[in-house]
Amino acid sequence: MTGAGDVRLSHAQQRFLWDEEMAPGQDDNNVVLAYHLTGPVDPDAMAAAFADVLLRHEVLRTVYLWGEAPEPVQRVLSPETAGTALEHVAPDGTDLPPAERAALVCADWWDSPFDLELRPPVRARLAALAPDSWLLCLNLHHIAFDGQSELLLAADLGTAYGARAAGRAPAWDPVPGYGTYARWEAGRVPDWAGTDLPFWREVLADPAPALLAPPETDQGGRGEHEIALDAPATDRVKGAVRAARSIVLSALLHETSAAVGDVFGVDAVNLTTVSSGRFEKAHAPILGCFVNPLVLPLRGLRTTDPGTRLTEVNRLVLQALRRARLPFDLVARDLGIRAADSGLFDVMVALQAPEPGGAFAPGVTCRPLRVPAPRAGFGLVVELEQHLEGHWTVAGRWRTDLVGEETGRGVVESLTERLLALPGPEGGR
């Protein structure tokens, strides 16, 4: 039964709910975060801070129901009904470094899918490694979370913990619930379709051929490779991107497409990336899933002058970002695109938001730890990760049943070489 306060899902939520219905528990939709906290952490204050954040952000208390309505709805539960609390656990692996101990704390989450109709998609654990060393681990479903949400959540947890450790409640302005955004989006989609569909019809009129074979299962084994750029190398790449009058995302897409051309021996590829989706200032403090896929067929990977092609790619990316409001599921429906036979979803390229960390609360610092997923659903994902210390990491992950080890590593290595070879302001490296 649909309640009076229920709200239809945003299009991003609809995509993830459909994925979950078709293939529950996909690792690509399961967000697992871990933070190493250094300092005298008060576990009771941390539990109270977690409860404060759940109260502040409605999406962390939301379930997703089909019921008798013609389409699924989201329902916000009271804190008491939601029944989500910070769990205190004893970590294994005394002699292991914090990142490996965090992986053990989180290990069972990968095989415990959220039942999105019964409980909100969030879990949290706190583990003491030593009196001044702690692990804070979080598990969320992408239906309620994205990269920008991590920054918001970490900041709010730190604010709330600092207040609770001082014996008071956090003093912060209220934020709108995610349902506010879902209603806003629904009211604007018809106008966006009128202005944005012609652009996407032209861009996707002639997509590149499929790069990878269709998968036979929802998930496969996971391969990964990453290369860290030190701060001076990162600064050189940033300077080269500015000298080319480009943005980082455009350069990343351009050089990834060229790397794919190098390794796969093709002259065209469809790259998928995402927009942040927070188009209004009012949406900036809201936790939730706002991202929208953008599919860009890129050609001339091996036959066009690289400088000319970067200019063309940058122009296309900027045009696409200005038309990134229209949900991609509506674009796909309009064009009759099917993921299974179009090849549009072979390679995902993501410019990750800067990671949270540093000062968490008075006397406590925070360092993010990476907890890799055991499986992969997407064929090939390339990411540029931005770190607190100012450096970047070029990372790739792939399905081992679709992409071989040599191929996956080759794309990451070729991309890194190409980024480092971008000409600087004086035309040199």
Side-chain angles (χ1 to χ4, degrees), residues 9-19 64 141-146 178 181-182 185 276-277 288-293 327-329:
L9 275 63
S10 71
H11 282 270
Q13 289 176 316
Q14 292 174 29
R15 289 194 303 271
F16 282 112
L17 184 62
W18 179 250
D19 281 350
Y64 304 87
H141 194 285
H142 259 311
I143 198 171
F145 205 71
D146 60 13
Y178 184 85
Y181 166 75
E185 180 195 61
S276 66
C289 185
F290 291 80
V291 295
N292 187 39
F328 184 73
D329 56 299

Side-chain angles (χ1 to χ4, degrees), residues 46-196:
M46 188 66 74
F50 182 67
D52 290 328
V53 171
L54 293 181
L55 181 62
R56 177 172 171 78
H57 294 287
E58 291 183 351
V59 76
L60 301 179
R61 296 182 280 113
T62 296
V63 292
Y64 304 87
L65 310 171
W66 288 91
E68 300 174 1
E71 59 183 5
V73 296
Q74 52 186 311
R75 178 177 299 170
V76 179
L77 306 180
S78 68
E80 297 76 20
T81 306
T84 305
L86 180 67
E87 180 184 3
H88 293 179
V89 298
D92 295 327
T94 305
D95 297 328
L96 297 175
E100 294 183 33
R101 299 187 78 179
L104 293 175
V105 170
C106 304
D108 62 304
W109 282 341
W110 298 111
D111 296 312
S112 305
F114 289 106
D115 188 330
L116 298 176
E117 289 195 86
L118 294 182
R119 57 159 293 167
V122 57
R123 304 176 177 120
R125 289 173 177 165
L126 183 67
L129 306 182
D132 61 349
S133 179
W134 299 73
L135 294 175
L136 176 63
C137 302
L138 305 171
N139 180 204
L140 305 103
H141 194 285
H142 259 311
I143 198 171
F145 205 71
D146 60 13
Q148 186 65 29
S149 294
E150 181 182 3
L151 298 175
L152 296 171
L153 181 59
D156 283 354
L157 271 172
T159 297
Y161 174 77
R164 291 298 179 180
R168 52 181 173 80
W172 47 28
D173 295 330
V175 298
Y178 184 85
T180 303
Y181 166 75
R183 293 188 187 94
W184 177 87
E185 180 195 61
R188 283 159 177 77
V189 161
D191 290 338
W192 294 341
T195 57
D196 297 347

Side-chain angles (χ1 to χ4, degrees), residues 248-258 260 269-275 292-294 296 298 344-352 378 380-384 395 397 411 415:
V248 173
L249 178 60
S250 299
L252 177 61
L253 288 163
H254 174 261
E255 301 305 336
T256 299
S257 68
V260 168
V269 66
N270 305 312
L271 296 185
T272 307
T273 189
V274 295
S275 73
N292 187 39
L294 307 177
L296 302 174
L298 302 183
L344 288 183
F345 302 97
D346 284 339
V347 183
M348 167 73 78
V349 181
L351 175 62
Q352 297 290 6
F378 213 85
L380 175 61
V381 178
V382 175
E383 298 177 325
L384 187 62
R397 71 173 188 270
V411 170
L415 169 59

Side-chain angles (χ1 to χ4, degrees), residues 214-240:
E216 297 182 358
T217 59
D218 297 321
Q219 299 188 102
R222 176 190 174 100
E224 58 181 44
H225 182 48
E226 61 181 41
I227 299 175
L229 305 182
D230 60 21
T234 298
D235 289 340
R236 287 199 302 273
V237 176
K238 290 178 180 178

Side-chain angles (χ1 to χ4, degrees), residues 356-416:
F360 181 76
V364 180
T365 60
C366 171
R367 180 170 66 90
L369 303 174
R370 184 168 172 272
V371 181
R375 297 168 293 261
F378 213 85
L380 175 61
V381 178
V382 175
E383 298 177 325
L384 187 62
E385 302 169 350
Q386 304 177 76
H387 299 286
L388 285 170
E389 298 83 0
H391 69 279
W392 290 348
T393 294
V394 181
R397 71 173 188 270
W398 57 87
R399 282 184 59 152
T400 55
D401 57 336
L402 301 180
V403 177
E405 177 78 11
E406 183 178 353
T407 299
R409 294 177 71 92
V411 170
V412 175
E413 291 165 4
S414 176
L415 169 59
T416 304

